Amino acid sequence: MVQTLNLILLTANELEHLRDILRRSFQPRASEDDVQVFTALFRSWCHNPIAAFSLCLLAQSYSVSAALISKFADIDASVGFLMQIDKLVQLLESPIFIHMRLQLLEIQEDYHTDLVKSLYGLLMLLPQSAAFRVLRDRLASVTSMATAIGRIDLNGDARRLRAPRIDADALLAHFESVQAKHTELRRKGMYEKSLAKEQNTANV
């Protein structure tokens, strides 16, 4: 459900106004309503890791997306999970994320390190595929540009730009809690399925 809703959010022309609200939710000019919209969506989107990650990219909350990507190591990398990443890479090349792609040029900005880390993290999750090559080439061009203008180190410490009314740590804690519940349910389902299979075998 969340995966479908996220795709609608990222692609439907009718939701351009909502996307504008999300894009400014981490900006100093964000209103209380803007902040509440992002927070409410993020808490719901946490049921799907890639949806939550893409929401952060859309909202330009790169400090949160960079923190999320490091937590993906604890998530079951199923075929469906990898297919969602593949689809996200395709969407990153669409007009919806043109703001983000242009921000890759702003290497002097404080958010740049987190943005690059987020995208490189996504790259590391992908198997060798067309999506991998597309994202790799995009990031390689940014690295080449940074080197050409004299900034070789893209991994320096960056100050976190956050809207002070958004508690990023609380959002990340909520994400971990939701994913832990999903993991528990998935393992319970696998155990019950295995137990049922053993019982069926014993009855034969």
Side-chain angles (χ1 to χ4, degrees):
M1 175 65 75
V2 173
Q3 181 182 349
T4 302
L5 291 174
N6 185 62
L7 184 60
I8 294 171
L9 171 64
L10 295 179
T11 58
N13 293 331
E14 296 82 359
L15 295 180
E16 181 60 34
H17 178 62
L18 177 56
R19 290 194 290 269
D20 285 340
I21 291 174
L22 291 169
R23 288 188 186 107
R24 65 174 181 261
S25 60
F26 266 68
Q27 304 302 316
R29 60 190 175 91
S31 68
E32 192 63 35
D33 287 343
D34 297 338
V35 172
Q36 290 179 3
V37 168
F38 173 82
T39 302
L41 279 178
F42 183 88
R43 287 181 172 275
S44 299
W45 263 221
C46 281
H47 290 279
N48 184 291
I50 299 303
F53 180 80
S54 63
L55 180 67
C56 291
L57 293 184
L58 179 64
Q60 302 173 50
S61 54
Y62 303 129
S63 60
V64 180
S65 65
L68 277 181
I69 204 75
S70 65
K71 300 181 184 300
F72 284 2
D74 300 323
I75 295 174
D76 180 27
S78 63
V79 173
F81 178 78
L82 296 176
M83 288 178 64
Q84 288 183 60
I85 298 178
D86 191 286
K87 180 63 177 178
L88 176 57
V89 171
Q90 295 178 41
L91 289 171
L92 293 180
E93 295 296 316
S94 72
I96 298 299
F97 285 99
I98 193 170
H99 294 84
M100 185 205 72
R101 297 200 302 275
L102 289 175
Q103 285 176 332
L104 285 169
L105 301 175
E106 305 296 334
I107 61 174
Q108 78 284 356
E109 295 293 341
D110 295 324
Y111 59 71
H112 190 267
T113 297
D114 283 330
L115 172 55
V116 172
K117 180 181 177 181
S118 298
L119 296 181
Y120 265 111
L122 202 63
L123 183 68
M124 293 302 102
L125 293 172
L126 281 167
Q128 298 284 335
S129 62
F132 175 90
R133 290 187 289 274
V134 167
L135 186 54
R136 179 194 60 190
D137 291 347
R138 173 74 65 182
L139 291 170
S141 64
V142 174
T143 304
S144 298
M145 179 201 67
T147 303
I149 64 176
R151 180 182 173 182
I152 299 176
D153 181 15
L154 292 179
N155 296 313
D157 292 335
R159 297 185 301 276
R160 301 296 191 256
L161 287 182
R162 295 177 182 169
R165 288 162 294 177
I166 292 183
D167 188 343
D169 292 334
L171 294 179
L172 292 170
H174 179 74
F175 175 84
E176 289 182 331
S177 174
V178 170
Q179 287 303 309
K181 291 177 182 177
H182 278 286
T183 299
E184 182 180 354
L185 288 172
R186 184 165 54 249
R187 289 175 178 172
K188 183 179 179 181
M190 292 174 62
Y191 172 76
E192 291 177 348
K193 184 177 180 180
S194 176
L195 187 62
K197 185 177 180 180
E198 290 178 0
Q199 290 176 343
N200 290 335
T201 302
N203 293 332
V204 173

